Amino acid sequence: NGEISVGDADRLKSIIKSANDGGHLVSSIRLDSPGGIIGEGVKLASIVRYGKIASVVPNGAKCASACFIVFAAGDPKYVSYGASVGVHGASDEAGRETVEAGAATVSMARIVKDLGVPAPIIGKLVVTPPDQIVGLTQEDLRSMGTTMTGRPAQTPPVELASAQTTP
């Protein structure tokens, strides 16, 4: 939960080791993060992928930016209908799009490609400015092998409902 920051990968390794030493297998990781440090997200993703740990974005949670890298590493992947997963390009520490940030976006795109993320999602990641987040649709998520959990909404969001005309 919260921003991905330096030391998170070491904490996750420690939690997994402790569980394993106690005879338990870590089968999933629940994600609820707006993102954070890309490098730490990549380290977390490596741990999740190596451990064949499921990634789960539960109801009401958000997983975006660097969190998306961790999510993409999960095997399998689960997202609640009431959760959101989003992507965008990288920024520098001040939130600006710089040449270095552009290079980080390209690196992020390559990493998620290696994790099996389909090209249309990678395209959204690359073209979305760092100060915006594009939410992935259920179809996007399913295209990367995600299982949707919970119950889908049966009524449209307020903005869609008010735009529809009645017969």
Side-chain angles (χ1 to χ4, degrees):
N1 289 327
E3 284 211 17
I4 295 173
S5 57
V6 173
D8 285 349
D10 289 337
R11 282 189 284 284
L12 179 60
K13 276 196 261 186
S14 177
I15 291 167
I16 292 170
K17 182 175 180 349
S18 178
N20 292 168
D21 289 349
H24 302 284
L25 181 68
V26 174
S27 60
S28 65
I29 183 170
R30 289 188 307 175
L31 302 168
D32 187 2
S33 172
I37 298 172
I38 294 170
E40 200 69 16
V42 171
K43 290 178 189 177
L44 288 164
S46 180
I47 294 165
V48 168
R49 186 175 196 187
Y50 179 83
K52 297 187 182 347
I53 298 171
S55 55
V56 179
V57 185
N59 191 40
K62 174 182 181 178
C63 179
S65 193
C67 181
F68 176 73
I69 300 169
V70 182
F71 170 74
D75 182 24
K77 298 171 216 16
Y78 300 96
V79 174
S80 170
Y81 283 104
S84 66
V85 177
V87 296
H88 66 106
S91 67
D92 69 5
E93 291 176 5
R96 297 177 307 227
E97 266 188 287
T98 62
V99 172
E100 292 82 11
T105 298
V106 170
S107 292
M108 227 174 21
R110 288 181 179 152
I111 290 164
V112 297
K113 179 180 185 267
D114 289 344
L115 292 172
V117 174
I121 296 172
I122 294 169
K124 290 178 181 187
L125 183 152
V126 171
V127 302
T128 304
D131 61 342
Q132 299 174 19
I133 294 177
V134 63
L136 300 184
T137 66
Q138 292 172 26
E139 292 77 26
D140 289 332
L141 292 165
R142 285 187 183 111
S143 76
M144 55 187 291
T146 303
T147 299
M148 300 302 296
T149 63
R151 293 179 155 194
Q154 291 188 310
T155 58
V158 174
E159 58 275 2
L160 284 178
S162 63
Q164 294 178 344
T165 58
T166 54

